[in-house]
Amino acid sequence: MLSSGLVIADDLTGATDTGHEFAARGLRTLVSASTAPSDTPSADTDVRVVDTDSRYADPSSAAAAVHDVVGTDDHSFVYKKVDSTLRGNLVGETDAVLDATAADLALVAPASPRNGRTTVEGYHLVDGVPVAETAAGNDPDKPVETSHLPTRYAASSYSVSRLPVNHVATGPAAVADALREQARTGRGIVVADASHERHLEAIADGAARSGLNVVYVGSAGLARYVETPPPRGAGPASVPTRDRTVLCVVGSTNPTTLDQLDALPAESVVSLDLDAAVEDPAGASAEAAAACSSRLADRGVAVLVSAPDEDAPRRALDAGRRLGIDDQTVRARVAETLGSTVERLWVGRAPAPESVFVTGGAVAADVFESLDAAGVVLSGTAVEEGIPLGRLSGGVADGTPVVTKAGAFGTPGAIRKCIARLGGDDAYE
């Protein structure tokens, strides 16, 4: 019997928003870190989603992590989740999936039209702008240097071809024919255009009809259409709506998240003291935990923020330079302070928060690690597109309702809606 379906993501919020697309179809879906003890799914787990935390790893380490996760199991399907703005080790991780499987093709379609991500004539766009000209092109660790997907994949050890929109728009039969034709030339990578949801549906349906062994490479957009076996057991468990205290941890510096913060009452916000976090993470986390605990007691909501404005990262780096601390260590200390603050709220104080919201993939991973959580069991429901609801699995906060959000996702009121859903407070709607 085939094991559960496998999704491999390179960051945690990407893992949860992609996993949601399977949970929403009634498939019991477990999200975990690659080293978490929940890596071995239970008998009723239909889809296993693993975060390799490899977006900013060196290419060889990222490829090795992906290869190890695939392992030797005969998965019902394999889906390599990639960033919808093309950050990370796309080429090496796609090659690794092909290396680790007997797949005929890797079908690459990172578009997510519902979220403004489209691929036209091989060029990947974000709200109509070539991705290399957006914030992703200025990523401090791995900037996206080209918007042209075939060019990006030119470094692959496999042959690369493009599935143009005229084939995709014709429908699944044309897609299936094109994929079979490509497979006749040998194993390789096919990069697909998609500017509409129906294009993603045709790509997934065509792959299923082709009779080929295909591994899928995409953002959450393609995942909602990939053919899967029926559920093997009970569907996802729901998260009832009721009054709860809500801890929000906001580490993303994306402009979308900053706009969402502006929609929150200032009285609920606890801004991390960046100078203190860089110089003395333990002291800064103790101070932040006390402030969050007070907000939770008084208002039922605490919003812990490491970067309340676009200038905050520069201020943190400047603080590090004054202390003779390099930029990488500065970022690590800020992350350490956030994680330690969350840990203090569950371990060192009572009562602990009754739910948690977190935005930013790296921040989410740090928060989960601080709570010793193995992962998230998804509920199949979402607050907004790409913002799923679930429960933490394992650790000191086991069973706690949780919402995760990628930094670039959501409407201006998204964080308010997440607080309302977790806490049952109409004032935040």
Side-chain angles (χ1 to χ4, degrees):
M1 182 177 74
L2 292 177
S3 68
S4 56
L6 177 65
V7 179
I8 311 165
D10 64 355
D11 88 325
L12 191 52
T13 53
T16 55
D17 75 59
T18 302
H20 167 73
E21 298 300 337
F22 298 101
R25 288 191 263 167
L27 298 164
R28 186 166 174 81
T29 304
L30 173 68
V31 178
S32 67
S34 59
T35 57
S38 59
D39 260 6
T40 302
S42 61
D44 63 348
T45 297
D46 300 303
V47 180
R48 172 189 171 208
V49 187
V50 179
D51 167 30
T52 55
D53 191 24
S54 55
R55 178 167 297 173
Y56 296 112
D58 68 86
S60 60
S61 296
V66 170
H67 195 284
D68 288 348
V69 170
V70 175
T72 57
D73 290 344
D74 190 11
H75 307 286
S76 58
F77 66 88
V78 175
Y79 191 100
K80 177 66 196 80
K81 194 276 178 188
V82 295
D83 179 46
S84 66
T85 61
L86 308 188
R87 294 170 298 166
N89 293 291
L90 272 69
V91 179
E93 294 191 358
T94 302
D95 280 8
V97 170
L98 276 172
D99 291 344
T101 65
D104 300 303
L105 295 171
L107 180 54
V108 179
S112 183
R114 290 186 189 179
N115 290 313
R117 278 67 167 159
T118 56
T119 307
V120 180
E121 296 297 319
Y123 288 88
H124 197 64
L125 313 174
V126 176
D127 295 325
V129 178
V131 66
E133 299 174 21
T134 70
N138 297 315
D139 188 286
D141 295 304
K142 288 207 174 189
V144 176
E145 296 178 349
T146 178
S147 305
H148 192 243
L149 274 170
T151 299
R152 178 71 173 270
Y153 272 96
S156 171
S157 59
Y158 291 91
S159 63
V160 180
S161 59
R162 186 167 71 86
L163 182 62
V165 72
N166 61 313
H167 282 85
V168 174
T170 302
V175 170
D177 288 343
L179 294 179
R180 285 191 288 263
E181 183 65 28
Q182 292 296 335
R184 291 189 187 99
T185 66
R187 303 178 76 212
I189 294 170
V190 178
V191 177
D193 285 347
S195 59
H196 194 281
E197 288 293 316
R198 64 176 175 270
H199 295 158
L200 291 178
E201 186 173 10
I203 290 166
D205 193 6
R209 294 186 189 190
S210 70
L212 300 171
N213 183 348
V214 174
V215 293
Y216 301 90
V217 181
S219 65
L222 180 63
R224 68 177 58 101
Y225 302 110
V226 168
E227 183 177 85
T228 67
R232 297 186 294 182
S238 64
V239 178
T241 300
R242 68 169 181 82
D243 290 346
R244 299 183 184 90
T245 57
V246 185
L247 173 68
C248 300
V249 185
V250 180
S252 173
T253 59
N254 189 281
T256 297
T257 292
L258 297 181
D259 288 344
Q260 292 161 355
L261 280 175
D262 287 342
L264 303 181
E267 297 82 3
S268 297
V269 176
V270 175
S271 292
L272 201 64
D273 184 332
L274 291 174
D275 284 357
V278 173
E279 184 173 7
D280 177 20
S285 70
E287 181 180 343
C292 287
S293 185
S294 176
R295 301 294 199 285
L296 289 167
D298 294 343
R299 301 182 59 81
V301 178
V303 183
L304 175 62
V305 181
S306 64
D309 55 71
E310 291 182 355
D311 196 46
R314 182 196 60 77
R315 295 199 302 273
L317 295 177
D318 286 348
R321 294 184 185 110
R322 289 194 298 271
L323 295 166
I325 300 171
D326 65 84
D327 291 358
Q328 184 176 0
T329 302
V330 167
R331 296 188 187 100
R333 289 190 177 185
V334 172
E336 176 188 345
T337 304
L338 283 175
S340 181
T341 300
V342 173
E343 182 179 9
R344 289 174 188 272
L345 287 168
W346 258 271
V347 177
R349 297 174 183 273
E354 296 172 315
S355 63
V356 61
F357 163 86
V358 60
T359 183
V363 175
D366 290 338
V367 167
F368 287 12
E369 182 178 3
S370 72
L371 297 174
D372 199 27
V376 178
V377 177
L378 295 172
S379 70
T381 60
V383 179
E384 278 191 4
E385 182 73 29
I387 307 178
L389 173 66
R391 290 185 183 273
L392 292 173
S393 175
V396 297
D398 183 49
T400 299
V402 60
V403 171
T404 57
K405 185 187 82 70
F409 280 12
T411 64
I415 297 180
R416 292 178 66 97
K417 292 178 183 177
C418 292
I419 294 171
R421 177 60 180 86
L422 288 169
D425 186 353
D426 292 340
Y428 284 91
E429 287 283 13

